[in-house]
Amino acid sequence: MSSHGKRAPEAELGLLDATMIGMGAMIGAGIFVLTGLAAEIAGPAALLVFVLNGIVTAFTALSYAELASAIPKSGGGYAFVREVFADLPSFMMGWLLWFAYMVAGGLYALGFAPNFLELLHVYGLTAAPGEVGSVAIPALGVGVPVAVGLAFLAVLLLVSLNAASTAASGSVETIFTAIKVSILVVFVGYGVTSPQFSGAEFQPLFPGDKTAFSILPAMGLTFIAFEGYDLITTVTEEVKNPRENIPKAIFISLAVTLVVYIAVVSVAIGTLGWVDLARAGEAGIAEAATNFMPQFPVIGNGGAVIVFGAVFSTLTALNAVVIASSRVAFSMGREGQLLPSFGQLHHRFGTPFWAILASAVVMLSSVVLPTQSAGNMSSLFFLLSFVIVNGSVIKLRRERPDMARPYELPYYPVPPVLGIALNLLLTGVLVVYLLRTDVLALLLSGGWIGLGVVAYYGLTTLRTSAEEAETERAAAEDD
Amino acid sequence: MTQDISVIIVGGGRVGFQTAELLDDRGHKITIVERDPAVCEALTDEWLATVIKGDATNPEILAQGGLEKADVVAGLTGLTGVNLAVCMMATRLSPDTRTVARIDHGDGAGYEEFVDAIVYPERSGARVAANEIVGSDVQTLADVTGTLDIMEVLVEEGAPAAGKQLANVRFPAGTLVISDEDGDRIAQPDTELRPGRRYVVAVEPDVVDEVMNLLRG
């Protein structure tokens, strides 16, 4: 009847575990899936794209660190903004963040599929992913592309797991992250020493029609690769000595992630060349590895290690965002900002069942999107929500100057103001870019925001009438 | 509707802190207003509540605790006068907010006019002490054995576990439903958790939040 092991948050995660949670969310799916797509937009300057994104996101990281140290609530950005802003802005924050995570789920599932096919391909079980991806399955009698079908199945599997039992603990996450990082280290190690890399050509940085302005839309697309520290702040209650460890974990994970990204992207561009990397798209890193890794005994093709890493990373990242998205919906339900059932645990499974299920619906539908649209939309919503987070720091400092802030960000108000400006700049660039290339993503994004406004006022009306009925009943009882 | 409430506790000393701890276990949102910087530091290390540094009898400081969103303001400092002042100020600034004041002397009869509820930590403590001195193995419901919470919980209409049989509800490890709805029989697997009825439940502090979610919604 009852489950065993730890279920409730308990302070048992150290600095290393917290750092690993952040790195686990950042390193992995983003770098595996988006490197190829970034190369397609920005060429060899994809390297700069990741570096600049790291810098932009560092300002928001400072804000997160201050808020996480001062507001002792797990739940990440939504919980912080809820504390600071009135109903509508905090609702929008939750609504944006919820969607960002759900679409990120779609993105990771879409990144999982071609890498999984590449894994099968490495062992000679299927044709190259590019050739399989467009083929329909006759067995199903419908024209479902294999990749979409695989992505759909992956989401379905992880959602069912999470709906039926509670999540894996932080220590499992540490092991997962260690595996991912070591696979990338192997990738970089072999890449740097490979003959292809010694002849690598990064010049010109902007070949053909690429210009310095190609960097901006690519930054927008890959911004999602840096959202991991929001996840650290969703487990704050479980971290030992959080007022010191949470800011540290945020900065360390961001710095390490940036170093790993720079190394991986350099190797990928250096060995495969940006043209081939761009062509390989979601499976770019895997293809680069297959290109230069030696043959191993038992494992066979050395690239298989990296491909396995990509499959593993996208799946674990997918699992993380299933949890993250349902936590946002759960918190919103608890706060009465979504239907109350979202904030309730299932009596049979002990999980936030309805929150997970609702997230699953959006995630499953986003799987039919092109990977790039999913990446763009998710990045767009993270950018917007980060604007609100930076705003919270400013608002909180003004309205509650006497609040205890164990960590105070330096040079206030420069970092949050810069964070807002840079995030808005990227949002603007991304929107302009989407107007030209991906109107569907833009329409869907606008649709979700519109739906949010409708949902907000719908729920408010519902609640007010419920409260009025309650008051009337109470008044009738008094008579 | 959500069952979580938002509480401002004035005074982060022993009583205020312990109260915050119990409320935090149940998932409520707590802000502590505390004057002593050293106590503030210790409180932030505990990671239970948002802490406002300052004198709560200053309206500006009390407002920083988020008075407009608070469901309850509890004056729990060792100074009866401060507690009363804070409660009356809260009532004035935000009339819907419930107020609770800690009173350390007298019988408190005269205070009901000014605050919604009164607590006497000394009297509650004395009751526990008396029980311990007598050395009875049996503790009354209101008292706490070790860290276990033994609570009487009213099952809310529409809560996840409402109307379900015990065997069909997955309570977290560290939970024991003790009584049936009349409180005169030990709960069985087929005991139904009927909404609107009270049940005696023993819970470990770590999982109180989850149990409350299942029983109260």
Side-chain angles (χ1 to χ4, degrees), chain B residues 99-147:
Chain B
T99 53
V100 179
R102 167 181 168 188
I103 306 291
D104 280 347
H105 56 78
D107 61 0
Y111 295 116
E112 265 103 15
E113 199 183 319
F114 306 106
V115 293
D116 294 315
I118 290 170
V119 286
Y120 303 89
E122 275 73 9
R123 189 170 297 175
S124 318
R127 194 165 53 218
V128 181
N131 277 342
E132 292 295 340
I133 289 165
V134 174
S136 164
D137 288 339
V138 184
Q139 300 282 321
T140 57
L141 193 62
D143 303 330
V144 176
T145 52
T147 59

Side-chain angles (χ1 to χ4, degrees), chain A residues 1-3 7-8 10 68-69 72 82-83 85 236 242-243 334 343-345 347-348 400-404, chain B residues 2 4 29 41 44-45 47 49-51 53 61 64 69 160 164 166 168-173 206 210 213 217:
Chain A
M1 203 163 65
S2 61
S3 68
R7 286 162 53 101
E10 181 154 311
S69 79
R82 179 78 186 134
E83 172 98 9
F85 278 103
T236 315
R243 56 181 261 186
R334 293 305 289 163
Q344 295 191 339
L345 300 175
H347 70 277
R348 182 101 236 190
R400 301 189 185 183
D402 296 302
M403 193 168 160
Chain B
T2 158
D4 295 346
K29 181 183 164 308
E41 188 133 321
T44 51
D45 276 337
W47 206 258
T50 306
V51 179
K53 245 181 280 186
I61 298 287
Q64 283 185 44
K69 279 190 199 167
K164 305 283 192 303
L166 265 190
N168 289 327
V169 179
R170 179 160 159 191
F171 282 109
D206 290 348
E210 278 177 83
N213 192 317

Side-chain angles (χ1 to χ4, degrees), chain B residues 60-205:
Chain B
E60 269 177 33
I61 298 287
L62 189 62
Q64 283 185 44
L67 202 52
E68 72 286 353
K69 279 190 199 167
D71 299 296
V72 185
V73 171
L76 300 180
T77 72
L79 302 167
T80 303
V82 169
N83 297 340
L84 281 173
V86 164
C87 286
M88 290 170 70
M89 209 158 75
T91 311
R92 181 71 169 273
L93 295 172
S94 167
D96 290 340
T97 308
R98 227 170 84 80
T99 53
V100 179
R102 167 181 168 188
I103 306 291
D104 280 347
H105 56 78
D107 61 0
Y111 295 116
E112 265 103 15
E113 199 183 319
F114 306 106
V115 293
D116 294 315
I118 290 170
V119 286
Y120 303 89
E122 275 73 9
R123 189 170 297 175
S124 318
R127 194 165 53 218
V128 181
N131 277 342
E132 292 295 340
I133 289 165
V134 174
S136 164
D137 288 339
V138 184
Q139 300 282 321
T140 57
L141 193 62
D143 303 330
V144 176
T145 52
T147 59
L148 266 189
D149 284 339
I150 300 181
M151 301 186 281
E152 198 178 37
V153 183
L154 183 123
V155 176
E156 191 75 13
E157 189 85 46
K164 305 283 192 303
Q165 288 188 341
L166 265 190
N168 289 327
V169 179
R170 179 160 159 191
F171 282 109
T175 318
L176 180 65
V177 177
I178 299 168
S179 78
D180 72 346
E181 78 257 25
D182 299 321
D184 53 22
R185 303 203 53 173
I186 295 294
Q188 301 293 321
D190 63 351
T191 297
E192 192 190 325
L193 292 164
R194 290 166 57 193
R197 306 305 290 261
R198 294 172 184 276
Y199 295 79
V200 179
V201 186
V203 195
E204 290 172 15

Side-chain angles (χ1 to χ4, degrees), chain A residues 105-106 108-113 146-156 318 364 367:
Chain A
Y108 296 154
L110 287 167
F112 158 79
V146 177
V148 172
L150 270 175
F152 192 85
L153 278 180
V155 174
L156 209 58
L318 180 54
L364 287 173
V367 160

Side-chain angles (χ1 to χ4, degrees), chain A residues 20 48 56 337 401 469:
Chain A
M20 285 299 202
L48 280 181
V56 169
Q337 292 209 308

Side-chain angles (χ1 to χ4, degrees), chain A residues 117-174:
Chain A
L117 288 173
E118 174 79 23
L119 185 64
L120 296 180
H121 169 63
V122 166
Y123 286 109
L125 294 174
T126 59
E131 292 143 43
V132 180
S134 54
V135 172
I137 315 173
L140 287 177
V142 281
V144 181
V146 177
V148 172
L150 270 175
F152 192 85
L153 278 180
V155 174
L156 209 58
L157 176 77
L158 288 174
V159 164
S160 324
L161 276 179
N162 279 295
S165 75
T166 36
S169 75
S171 47
V172 178
E173 184 71 28
T174 305

